[in-house]
Amino acid sequence: MRNLILVLGDQLDLESAVFEDFDCDSDCIWMAECVEEITYVWSHKVRIAFFLSAMRHFRDQQRELGRTVHYHELTPNASADRGAHFSEILASDLTQLSPERVIFVQPGDVRVCHSLEDTIGSAGLEFSVREDRHFYCSVTEFEEYAKGRKGLRLEYFYRELRKRHDVLMDADGPVEGQWNFDHDNRESFGRKGPSGIPRPKLFDADAVTTQVFQLIDDRFFNHPGNLNHFHLPVTREQAVEFLDHFVAKLLPNFGQYEDAMWADEAFLYHSRLSVLLNVKLISPRQCVDAAVAAYQSGHALINSVEGFVRQILGWREFVRGIYWLKMPEYVTLNHLDHQHPLPSFFWDGKTQMNCVQQSMQHVLNHSYSHHIHRLMVLGNFAQLWGAHPKAFHDWHMAMYVDAIDWVSLPNTLGMSQYGDGGIVGTKPYCSSGNYINKMSNFCGDCRFNYKKRVGDDACPFTTFYWEFMDRHYDQLKDNARMKFPIKNLERMRQNSDDMQAIRDRAAELRELWG
């Protein structure tokens, strides 16, 4: 064997750099399912099913191309495994196969990257790490961009990439004269709620996916979530259909209602393309080009298209750059010194807070909730509660099908929990129950009153919000984006009895739910 080509579970890219100069007569592909990747965080059943099914379909597609694939497949019989750890399986196969060289694309997880390099190095083999061409911006290019800058802000980085790749640009600047249309993308559904939302694109489980379901029932039955609603695309062809459906049916209304939530509506107008992008079944260029074409044809307005493009060309590229620039120290950051574990309802959804219960039902059923559920409901609560940012990140990695370390960590520890003290976001993303009431219909059917700070029926978000502001007053009082709530807090602090009642109620809830 000349080259052993490693393909990881989040690298299912038919155009990957590892396939350059691939010779079917002398090169082989290596892929492995292993228990470690399922249990190092207690993975949701949908997450397990998606990764294993997508990997097996990719394996079969490669074999159809005439390529040899050495594939370690988990079976219902655990004793048949050649090791629980990724490194064990790889080390064993390197000894058996004896390739001249090992080739792989840079992993999306520092932990996996170190494991690969250590394992191959211990085997005494030459290896080559190729650049991940899936992205618009390479790690090296981001490092160059970051040099000499006091701070890194998404908006300026996003503009640079728009210019560099000529996306939504006129000759003299951005189309329609604005870089960012976020102000137009904050509508709620009002009292009547959403109407006429297109049915989601569903894919039935084939024989490969059904076999994976059985494996989960046999070996991973005690993992969170369920498979009752699994209809995800698991092949490149299905991924393209999924993108086409989003652009045709959902994109025109995506922007306006991007931040809105509604009871029992898990998807609304959101694309759910993140999981397909993050395992590379589809490319960011395909998604951006399709959205831009919809704008150019008049099918979708600029606020929807620009908002979608910013998520992919802007935010996704930005957080990857931050991850590789700041790791491995980044994962240890805890700017607010939060130490609490997450409450149990983050795993089972059993709570009387209607917004949390609704959000958790989406997670339990689909291993998914859209970004406002993640940031302003579940992430918001975890931050106000005082959860350790790494604990929140581990939970997100376990429970969300689209969670890959490079994209999850800056979003959870940084954006959501402010654990990095402002590297990713300029302020903590926190709110009282008032924001949730504004953007959803959750509060009307909740036993808690979003307006109240104290009392048995006070909204825990509102209680914890003011307790959080009080607890971190010294850290937040000089933040320019927190001036308004800080002034309100200073007025509230003038009545020591009211402030102490808030502190007492927060302590009572932590005792009750901790």
Side-chain angles (χ1 to χ4, degrees), residues 12 14 29 31 33 52-67 69 71 73 206-209 211 235:
L12 310 181
L14 294 175
I29 297 168
M31 301 177 71
E33 303 169 7
L52 298 190
S53 178
M55 287 173 67
R56 293 181 185 189
H57 281 93
F58 187 85
R59 170 202 64 193
D60 295 345
Q61 189 171 24
Q62 292 301 309
R63 286 174 175 167
E64 289 171 4
L65 293 173
R67 295 169 174 173
V69 183
Y71 192 96
E73 183 175 296
D206 62 8
V208 172
T209 303
Q211 187 179 43
T235 67

Side-chain angles (χ1 to χ4, degrees), residues 10-181:
D10 61 342
Q11 296 180 341
L12 310 181
D13 183 359
L14 294 175
E15 287 79 42
S16 172
V18 295
F19 298 124
E20 284 185 356
D21 304 319
F22 189 95
D23 186 333
C24 290
D25 294 327
S26 58
D27 299 335
C28 296
I29 297 168
W30 183 91
M31 301 177 71
E33 303 169 7
C34 64
V35 173
E36 176 189 18
E37 295 303 308
I38 292 172
T39 59
Y40 88 95
V41 290
W42 205 242
S43 294
H44 193 296
K45 290 176 182 176
V46 167
R47 178 179 168 82
I48 302 169
F50 174 77
F51 272 87
L52 298 190
S53 178
M55 287 173 67
R56 293 181 185 189
H57 281 93
F58 187 85
R59 170 202 64 193
D60 295 345
Q61 189 171 24
Q62 292 301 309
R63 286 174 175 167
E64 289 171 4
L65 293 173
R67 295 169 174 173
T68 299
V69 183
H70 295 279
Y71 192 96
H72 179 258
E73 183 175 296
L74 293 174
T75 66
N77 181 10
S79 63
D81 296 346
R82 285 187 285 121
H85 298 282
F86 185 85
S87 57
E88 291 179 79
I89 302 167
L90 178 57
S92 173
D93 280 354
L94 290 177
T95 299
Q96 180 181 344
L97 299 172
S98 294
E100 295 176 12
R101 184 172 61 159
V102 179
I103 299 174
F104 58 94
V105 161
Q106 181 183 24
D109 186 324
V110 168
R111 172 186 60 90
V112 174
C113 189
H114 290 166
S115 177
L116 282 177
E117 291 176 352
D118 291 346
T119 302
I120 301 167
S122 296
L125 294 171
E126 176 188 348
F127 66 88
S128 172
V129 184
R130 294 186 177 175
E131 185 176 305
D132 195 338
R133 301 183 307 201
H134 169 85
F135 296 93
Y136 281 95
C137 182
S138 72
V139 171
T140 302
E141 287 171 338
F142 191 88
E143 288 174 352
E144 287 298 317
Y145 172 82
K147 275 184 182 177
R149 296 178 186 267
K150 293 182 180 179
L152 297 170
R153 294 292 171 257
L154 165 68
E155 185 63 29
Y156 304 118
F157 173 72
Y158 167 57
R159 293 180 187 184
E160 287 293 322
L161 287 194
R162 287 264 299 269
K163 294 174 189 174
R164 186 187 307 170
H165 295 281
D166 193 25
V167 175
L168 293 176
M169 297 295 296
D170 283 333
D172 299 326
V175 296
E176 302 202 22
Q178 288 180 224
W179 290 103
N180 186 315
F181 289 81

Side-chain angles (χ1 to χ4, degrees), residues 340-346 350-354 356 381 385 447-448 456 458-461 463-464 505-514:
H340 291 292
L342 289 166
S344 62
F345 50 73
F346 270 73
K350 294 179 181 178
T351 174
Q352 292 181 308
M353 290 182 286
N354 194 35
V356 174
F381 188 88
W385 172 262
R447 93 157 188 87
F448 298 108
D456 181 63
C459 174
F461 279 85
T463 301
F464 280 124
R505 177 58 177 163
E508 180 184 353
L509 289 174
R510 286 197 182 93
E511 180 70 22
L512 180 66
W513 294 340

Side-chain angles (χ1 to χ4, degrees), residues 276-302:
L276 305 176
L277 283 162
N278 292 349
V279 299
K280 304 179 178 66
L281 283 178
I282 201 164
S283 80
R285 290 169 182 79
Q286 284 176 282
C287 297
V288 167
D289 290 350
V292 171
Y295 166 70
Q296 292 171 338
S297 70
H299 177 65
L301 297 177
I302 186 61

